[in-house]
């Protein structure tokens, strides 16, 4: 570990990620007329993640939407219809909207994987044809 200040950019990046994630949830419910306070957003999103990410099969894939809808409905008094629509929009904003950008930078990431000879897994070969995994 050494010097924690060395990783300040990573901490700042994660802070920005979580603020963006919470803002997406707030905006998704606000779009349908329900404005939550920031503490309600933090508690509902955190509760939904705690109950699905670690305890559910496949890391809670898909169950997060169900748990988050119920958490918004019961925990933040969001009407059920708005909670359902808000969580659907939240999923679009956080999963589907960034995919085109991710696909756009995929060639760059593959090139970085090919150029990085000093990474862990040196000497690894794959038969799948993925150049980023071959060192």
């Amino acid at each position: 570990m050494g010097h924690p200040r060395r990783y300040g950019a990573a901490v700042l990046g994660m802070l920005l990620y979580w603020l963006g994630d919470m803002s997406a949830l707030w905006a998704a419910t606000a779009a349908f007329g329900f404005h939550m306070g920031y503490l309600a957003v933090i508690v509902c999103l955190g509760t939904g993640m705690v109950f699905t990410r670690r305890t559910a099969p496949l890391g809670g894939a898909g169950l997060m939407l169900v748990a988050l809808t119920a958490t918004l409905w019961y925990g933040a008094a969001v009407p059920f219809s708005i909670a359902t629509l808000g969580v659907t929009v939240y999923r679009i904003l956080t999963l589907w909207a960034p995919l085109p950008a991710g696909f756009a930078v995929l060639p760059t990431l593959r090139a970085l994987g090919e150029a990085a000879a000093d990474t862990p897994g040196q000497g690894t070969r794959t038969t799948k044809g993925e150049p980023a995994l071959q060192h």
Side-chain angles (χ1 to χ4, degrees), residues 64-87:
M64 171 66 179
L65 304 177
V66 174
L68 189 54
T69 300
T71 303
L72 289 172
W73 176 50
Y74 186 75
V78 178
F80 187 75
S81 59
I82 293 176
T84 303
L85 292 170
V87 168

Side-chain angles (χ1 to χ4, degrees), residues 25-61:
L25 178 60
W26 180 86
T29 57
F32 296 102
F34 192 89
H35 298 278
M36 290 188 289
Y38 66 92
L39 288 177
V41 173
I42 293 169
V43 170
C44 288
L45 187 60
T47 302
M49 287 190 171
V50 164
F51 285 113
T52 59
R53 299 283 186 193
R54 302 291 179 233
T55 59
L58 300 173

Side-chain angles (χ1 to χ4, degrees), residues 88-118:
T88 302
V89 170
Y90 163 77
R91 178 53 61 195
I92 291 168
L93 290 173
T94 58
L95 178 66
W96 297 107
L99 276 179
F103 287 135
V105 299
L106 195 56
T108 304
L109 292 174
R110 287 185 175 151
L112 286 172
E114 290 174 348
D118 61 339

Side-chain angles (χ1 to χ4, degrees), residues 14-38:
M14 288 307 299
L15 176 66
L16 290 174
Y17 169 80
W18 286 111
L19 287 174
D21 203 47
M22 288 182 265
S23 297
L25 178 60
W26 180 86
T29 57
F32 296 102
F34 192 89
H35 298 278
M36 290 188 289
Y38 66 92

